[in-house]
């Protein structure tokens, strides 16, 4: 798994050896993620990144398996339509398109397809480790560590702003938002920072101004949006500015931050902390991760999709590169064999360095690839890495505390598998000082 993959060779050298091998039938990868609705920004930009990656491979002969090159095709379906359509799309991918890997955001929109895919032993890669359980042995989280990496932003803020004591946070009440809420709760408790106001809102909620006003009622030192969808994150940030907030804001993502600078101010956004850098960041130039020149991917993406770069633009492509490396190592695209090749070593390269397969303590299975993650701020109008924090170090110290908060919100794997055991918070809930 240490041999550079085709994509890595391509981006480092600009070319790869062309082998005299016949180009066989196409190999297909499924993409089943939101392409519409409030979570579209966690799906559609990633599909664009996958297509750039596939074009790089195909322009240089295709994917080599057992001495033959194969073109790579991306088969995409929108998981946001309805549950029946999501399940049918999964069946189409497996039974008719014969995909060898399924990429997904995970969470509620993907849930209808997961039991079918696991029964068929399909290799599936999710961006949400909280999807993992012992009942999902061929489901992996090899790229994004959401929501685990959010602890790094909390740790940096509490170190850099020791006077910041009182926290107000909000989260949507779904299987994307609630695990994130649990992580932020645990991280602030571990840091000795009380949450004085917590608001859980329905995923369809649009009244950001009322949410922010309620958060400000308790005179917090920090506002935290948790992992609110991109449209709500923008609305919450603009509402905070309009209501006179001038303190720090912490959020999982900062998609389209230039628009937020334009609608608020550069000074206001200089206090905004999140978790996803631009890939022309100087601190990524020498980072050993999925392909060796992140700026080349960043430039290619922005040339093809101007203004569309987001938190997930690179993530699904990074999974493809790890998958290809395993395919080349195993010399097959058979899903279970490829999975075994991925996990052959306890440690392997991750998007931001070396990471370890982990997860039994929270998910009942070691199928999450956990390592370091960046803390990002706005500096001179650009998203720039402030530091890399160790997610593993935090988990080694505080996993029991996180498990407690996940249980309180019904988000442990055994609670999600048993609906009768899952706590069902109201669609909108505001709690006072805690």
């Amino acid at each position: 798994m240490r041999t550079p993959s085709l994509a890595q060779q391509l981006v480092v050298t600009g070319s790869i050896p062309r082998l005299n091998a016949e180009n066989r039938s196409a190999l297909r990868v499924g993409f089943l993620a939101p392409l519409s609705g409030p979570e579209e920004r966690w799906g559609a930009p990633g599909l664009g990144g996958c297509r750039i990656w596939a074009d790089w491979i195909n322009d240089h002969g295709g994917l080599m398996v057992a001495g033959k090159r194969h073109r790579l095709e991306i088969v995409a379906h929108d998981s946001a339509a309805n549950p029946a359509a999501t399940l049918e799309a999964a069946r189409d991918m497996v039974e008719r398109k014969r995909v060898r890997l399924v990429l997904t955001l995970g969470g509620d929109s993907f849930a209808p397809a997961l039991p079918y895919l696991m029964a068929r032993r399909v290799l599936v890669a999710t961006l949400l480790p909280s999807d993992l359980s012992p009942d999902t042995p061929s489901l992996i989280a090899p790229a994004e560590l959401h929501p685990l990496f959010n602890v790094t932003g909390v740790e940096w803020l509490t170190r850099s702003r020791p006077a910041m004591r009182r926290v107000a946070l909000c989260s949507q009440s779904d299987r994307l938002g609630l695990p994130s809420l649990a992580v932020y709760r645990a991280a602030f408790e571990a840091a000795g920072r009380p949450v004085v106001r917590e608001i859980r809102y329905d995923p369809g909620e649009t009244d950001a101004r009322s949410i922010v006003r309620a958060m400000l009622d308790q005179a917090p030192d920090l506002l935290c949006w948790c992992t609110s969808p991109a449209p709500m994150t923008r609305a919450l940030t603009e509402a905070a500015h309009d209501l006179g907030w001038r303190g720090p804001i912490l959020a999982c993502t900062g998609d389209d931050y230039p628009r937020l600078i334009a609608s608020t101010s550069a000074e206001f956004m200089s206090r905004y902390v999140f978790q996803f850098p631009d890939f022309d960041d100087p601190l990524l130039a020498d980072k050993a991760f999925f392909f060796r020149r992140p700026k080349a991917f960043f430039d290619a993406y922005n040339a093809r999709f101007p203004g569309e770069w987001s938190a997930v633009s690179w993530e699904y492509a990074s999974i493809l590169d790890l998958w290809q490396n395993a395919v080349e190592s195993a010399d097959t695209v058979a899903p279970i064999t490829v999975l075994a090749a991925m996990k052959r070593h306890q440690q392997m390269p991750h998007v931001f360095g070396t990471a370890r397969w982990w997860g039994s303590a929270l998910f009942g299975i070691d199928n999450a690839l956990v390592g370091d993650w960046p803390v990002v701020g706005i500096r001179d109008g650009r998203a720039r890495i402030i530091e890399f924090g160790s997610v593993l170090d935090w988990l080694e110290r505080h996993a029991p505390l996180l498990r407690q908060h996940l249980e309180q919100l019904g988000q442990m794997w055994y609670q999600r598998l048993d609906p009768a055991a899952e706590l069902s918070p109201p669609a909108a809930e505001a709690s006072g000082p805690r």
Side-chain angles (χ1 to χ4, degrees):
M1 295 295 291
R2 292 183 174 85
T3 303
S5 71
L6 180 64
Q8 291 168 345
Q9 294 177 54
L10 170 61
V11 78
V12 170
T13 66
S15 64
I16 60 171
R18 291 182 178 272
L19 302 182
N20 294 323
E22 182 181 353
N23 194 299
R24 297 289 185 174
S25 59
L27 295 176
R28 297 186 178 96
V29 169
F31 188 95
L32 186 53
L35 300 176
S36 61
E39 295 179 356
E40 177 184 5
R41 291 288 293 174
W42 289 329
L47 177 58
C50 289
R51 286 174 170 157
I52 289 173
W53 189 93
D55 287 348
W56 283 359
I57 299 301
N58 292 335
D59 288 347
H60 288 76
L63 187 65
M64 177 65 72
V65 184
K68 302 295 182 182
R69 289 204 178 278
H70 301 259
R71 290 187 61 78
L72 189 71
E73 291 183 5
I74 306 296
V75 179
H77 288 277
D78 184 3
S79 68
N82 59 69
T86 296
L87 177 56
E88 179 55 32
R91 286 178 172 150
D92 178 70
M93 288 179 178
V94 173
E95 297 173 16
R96 290 178 282 279
K97 301 298 195 306
R98 305 293 182 185
V99 300
R100 301 300 184 168
L101 169 71
V102 174
L103 303 171
T104 182
L105 168 67
D108 287 330
S109 69
F110 184 71
L114 186 55
Y116 165 80
L117 292 168
M118 291 299 101
R120 297 297 296 265
R121 304 183 76 189
V122 176
L123 181 57
V124 180
T126 179
L127 298 190
L128 301 182
S130 52
D131 287 342
L132 303 176
S133 80
D135 283 359
T136 61
S138 61
L139 177 69
I140 56 174
E144 182 171 334
L145 305 178
H146 182 273
L148 303 180
F149 58 67
N150 288 323
V151 302
T152 62
V154 173
E155 285 211 314
W156 179 81
L157 266 174
T158 54
R159 288 198 321 270
S160 63
R161 294 177 178 267
M164 182 199 74
R165 307 297 303 178
R166 298 162 59 83
V167 179
L169 50 77
C170 66
S171 173
Q172 75 276 24
S173 55
D174 60 16
R175 290 195 178 183
L176 186 66
L178 292 176
S180 177
L181 176 61
V183 167
Y184 279 109
R185 277 183 176 184
F188 283 120
E189 182 174 337
R193 300 300 191 266
V195 175
V196 298
R197 176 57 63 94
E198 175 185 301
I199 295 177
R200 278 174 265 167
Y201 60 86
D202 185 272
E205 178 62 66
T206 58
D207 188 0
R209 192 178 185 91
S210 293
I211 292 173
V212 175
R213 185 180 291 111
M215 295 170 74
L216 294 176
D217 283 347
Q218 293 296 322
D221 301 314
L222 170 71
L223 299 180
C224 177
W225 310 147
C226 295
T227 310
S228 294
M232 180 58 90
T233 294
R234 289 195 297 269
L236 290 166
T237 304
E238 291 170 348
H241 175 267
D242 293 347
L243 290 169
W245 177 256
R246 294 300 181 266
I249 294 174
L250 177 63
C252 178
T253 63
D255 289 353
D256 203 10
Y257 66 84
R259 172 179 165 179
L260 282 170
I261 292 173
S263 62
T264 60
S265 71
E267 181 183 5
F268 179 83
M269 289 301 294
S270 69
R271 294 181 285 272
Y272 191 101
V273 177
F274 59 114
Q275 307 280 177
F276 289 89
D278 289 343
F279 269 30
D280 62 349
D281 195 297
L283 291 185
L284 290 180
D286 298 321
K287 201 73 175 173
F289 75 109
F290 70 100
F291 44 72
R292 306 304 183 199
R293 287 170 54 206
K295 187 176 183 299
F297 181 80
F298 183 74
D299 290 344
Y301 191 98
N302 283 301
R304 188 179 300 190
F305 307 107
E308 295 299 315
W309 180 264
S310 81
V312 303
S313 294
W314 55 272
E315 290 186 314
Y316 300 100
S318 78
I319 296 171
L320 284 173
D321 210 70
L322 293 171
W323 173 75
Q324 185 199 0
N325 225 343
V327 167
E328 292 175 346
S329 175
D331 204 25
T332 180
V333 290
I336 301 306
T337 306
V338 170
L339 175 59
M342 276 188 172
K343 299 186 69 178
R344 186 171 298 150
H345 305 286
Q346 186 179 25
Q347 292 187 335
M348 65 180 293
H350 182 262
V351 285
F352 298 119
T354 301
R356 177 160 61 91
W357 289 104
W358 185 92
S360 291
L362 294 180
F363 314 123
I365 191 170
D366 289 329
N367 274 11
L369 195 55
V370 182
D372 292 350
W373 201 271
V375 179
V376 180
I378 307 293
R379 302 292 182 265
D380 299 322
R382 295 298 311 278
R384 287 293 179 246
I385 295 172
I386 301 169
E387 70 172 20
F388 288 92
S390 174
V391 182
L392 276 173
D393 285 352
W394 190 94
L395 288 169
E396 287 174 0
R397 289 178 281 129
H398 303 299
L401 176 62
L402 176 54
R403 181 183 178 122
Q404 173 188 328
H405 283 283
L406 287 166
E407 285 183 331
Q408 289 176 359
L409 292 171
Q411 297 303 304
M412 284 298 293
W413 63 266
Y414 46 80
Q415 293 172 304
R416 290 183 284 107
L417 291 175
D418 179 6
E422 183 172 341
L423 301 179
S424 299
E429 175 181 316
S431 63
R434 298 173 63 241

